[in-house]
Amino acid sequence: MARQNAVITGWGFYAPAKVMRNSDFEKLVDTNDQWIFERTGIRERRFAGPGESTSTMATSAARSALAKAKLKAADLDLIIVGTCSPDYLFPATACLVQSAIGADRSGAFDIEAACTSFVSALSVANAMIVAGTVRNALVIGAETLSRFLDMTDRSTCILFGDGAGAVVLEGSNASVGIESAVLRSDGSKGELLYVPAGGTMHPADQSTVDARQHFIKMAGNEVFRLAVKSMVDAAEEALSLANVALGDIALLIPHQANVRIMDAVAKRLHFPIEKVFVNVQRYGNTSAASIPIALCEAVEQGRLKRGDKVLLVAFGGGFTWGASVLEWYGEHDWDRATLSPLDIAARKLGDLVDRVRPL
Ligand code: COA
């Protein structure tokens, strides 16, 4: 198989219907809308309803992304779900999605790098496409963190939300694609943001439940400080690897954890805040889902056109962080099911124009 670039040809997201406003938390803990909004930028977030889970939301996002890409599930080679809130310890959430959408010849596995999971999954899928191992991949970020929130801990319960975002990544002869991917980690800081029990170190028993050890624990201040520094470092490295100047970036899509983190990252990079996509006010921190949901909304709002350079940057538990520069491809205007020789010729011509464009 000839070496190809990986381009995003489909995208979609799902946000559960149940809206949790800041005022809803005033009834649960000692907090208020003003404190939450001023310290985080969050006004509301979505919580999964009964019967909804990471796999059901991922499946909805996946269906939208496949429809946009005009790709049949049966033609998928690979499904990767980035999540730290899977339906089960195993099977992988990606396998549940594979079955739900009927991707009968697809491989499927999960990637867990907390809020960096989507950027990590995208990097792996890109590498597999470029290497010729697969032709295409469905890359999903999906989380149901509401099920791991301690509703008596005001410093964490107000931050997180549920949702899923998905993209279809395909091999293409186009010159655009994913131009760089940087992944970093520091496991020595794991306990600054984690769920202590339920794994093999502290299996679930009555004492772990009584001690509320199955909920997210976080040292917010330290996470904040390291998030800003790490996201700036990763962004600069991804730009340098891609040989792209910051001034050429049309849109920065950071992980949506806290508006103050995003502001600080933009300020340290000397990047205009108008070119930073922010939707944390409506979804809170949806962890692995935040970047793909933001990407979908950016496209919906007409903020990306073919050839635009996009910088994705994430930070999360682990600690993990990473960044990726990509050139937006977007919607293609051909229908695979009825691809005629003329259509194929037109596609080839489009790809050729793309290839000679930078010369
Ligand atoms: N409502 C009201 N008061 C709250 C509160 C809430 N929801 N949560 C915490 N407080 C209180 C604290 O108890 C503390 O009170 P004290 O001074 O009486 O002890 C005070 O507000 C200040 O707490 P502090 O933790 O210093 O606030 P902060 O400005 O650092 O904001 C976070 C806290 C969690 C919003 C902030 O640290 C943060 O966003 N960190 C990063 C979190 C994150 O993004 N994690 C995921 C990364 S992927």
Side-chain angles (χ1 to χ4, degrees), residues 29-32 35-36 39-40 115 154-156 158-160 193 218 220-221 223-224 227 255 257-258 260-261 285 315-317:
V29 287
D30 181 12
T31 192
N32 57 73
W35 192 97
I36 299 172
R39 302 292 178 109
T40 70
C115 304
R154 68 179 179 174
S155 67
T156 53
I158 50 111
L159 293 174
F160 297 95
L193 172 53
M218 183 178 67
N221 278 320
V223 174
F224 191 108
H255 168 49
N258 181 322
R260 287 161 54 219
I261 294 179
N285 179 348
F315 179 87

Side-chain angles (χ1 to χ4, degrees), residues 13-339:
F13 77 101
Y14 177 83
K18 185 179 178 186
V19 177
M20 286 287 286
R21 299 195 171 79
N22 288 348
S23 54
D24 294 319
F25 290 85
E26 293 173 8
K27 298 164 206 149
L28 301 168
V29 287
D30 181 12
T31 192
N32 57 73
D33 174 55
Q34 191 189 349
W35 192 97
I36 299 172
F37 186 67
E38 283 178 7
R39 302 292 178 109
T40 70
I42 300 167
R43 285 281 189 212
E44 61 186 44
R45 72 290 288 143
R46 305 295 181 92
F47 275 9
E52 285 187 311
S53 69
T54 300
S55 76
T56 68
M57 294 190 292
T59 297
S60 298
R63 289 201 172 109
S64 302
L66 287 169
K68 182 66 83 181
K70 304 180 190 93
L71 185 69
K72 290 206 256 341
D75 290 330
L76 269 174
D77 286 351
L78 179 67
I79 300 170
I80 310 180
V81 173
T83 187
C84 61
S85 48
D87 282 26
Y88 306 106
L89 213 48
F90 66 89
T93 301
C95 293
L96 305 177
V97 174
Q98 176 275 326
S99 167
I101 62 176
D104 295 337
R105 51 176 305 283
S106 174
F109 57 84
D110 290 356
I111 279 184
E112 200 278 275
C115 304
T116 314
S117 298
F118 178 77
V119 169
S120 304
L122 196 67
S123 164
V124 170
N126 175 53
M128 289 180 73
I129 289 171
V130 170
T133 316
V134 296
R135 297 168 304 164
N136 58 46
L138 179 62
V139 182
I140 305 172
E143 303 280 11
T144 319
L145 286 177
S146 64
R147 308 255 157 89
F148 297 94
L149 292 179
D150 183 345
M151 288 303 189
T152 66
D153 176 5
R154 68 179 179 174
S155 67
T156 53
C157 71
I158 50 111
L159 293 174
F160 297 95
D162 302 336
V167 299
V168 171
L169 204 61
E170 294 191 67
S172 162
N173 296 325
S175 64
V176 300
I178 294 178
E179 300 189 354
S180 68
V182 170
L183 299 177
R184 297 285 179 266
S185 61
D186 180 359
S188 73
K189 309 252 175 1
E191 292 186 5
L192 294 178
L193 172 53
Y194 78 140
V195 176
T200 55
M201 185 66 83
H202 302 294
D205 64 16
Q206 194 56 53
S207 70
T208 61
V209 173
D210 291 345
R212 310 184 77 76
Q213 297 290 297
H214 297 274
F215 296 126
I216 294 172
K217 312 284 176 199
M218 183 178 67
N221 278 320
E222 287 171 83
V223 174
F224 191 108
R225 200 171 44 78
L226 284 160
V228 174
K229 184 188 175 324
S230 309
M231 288 167 86
V232 169
D233 288 351
E236 285 174 340
E237 214 171 327
L239 286 164
S240 155
L241 260 182
N243 201 18
V244 169
L246 189 62
D248 291 334
I249 294 294
L251 196 66
L252 167 59
I253 304 183
H255 168 49
Q256 308 284 311
N258 181 322
V259 82
R260 287 161 54 219
I261 294 179
M262 292 186 266
D263 283 349
V265 169
K267 201 176 257 171
R268 288 212 197 164
L269 286 170
H270 303 290
F271 189 73
I273 199 73
E274 322 75 74
K275 289 189 185 177
V276 180
F277 192 85
V278 177
N279 64 3
V280 71
Q281 66 278 11
R282 285 180 289 113
Y283 298 114
N285 179 348
T286 58
S287 186
S290 91
I291 288 181
I293 292 176
L295 181 68
C296 290
E297 290 205 329
V299 180
E300 268 178 12
Q301 293 170 21
R303 292 186 66 175
L304 282 179
K305 58 179 191 314
R306 184 167 292 188
D308 278 351
K309 291 195 189 294
V310 188
L311 175 58
L312 311 179
V313 56
F315 179 87
F319 285 151
T320 55
W321 61 98
S324 189
V325 172
L326 59 94
E327 204 171 321
W328 185 246
Y329 184 76
E331 198 161 359
H332 59 73
D333 45 13
W334 40 275
D335 179 354
R336 287 170 219 277
T338 59
L339 213 59

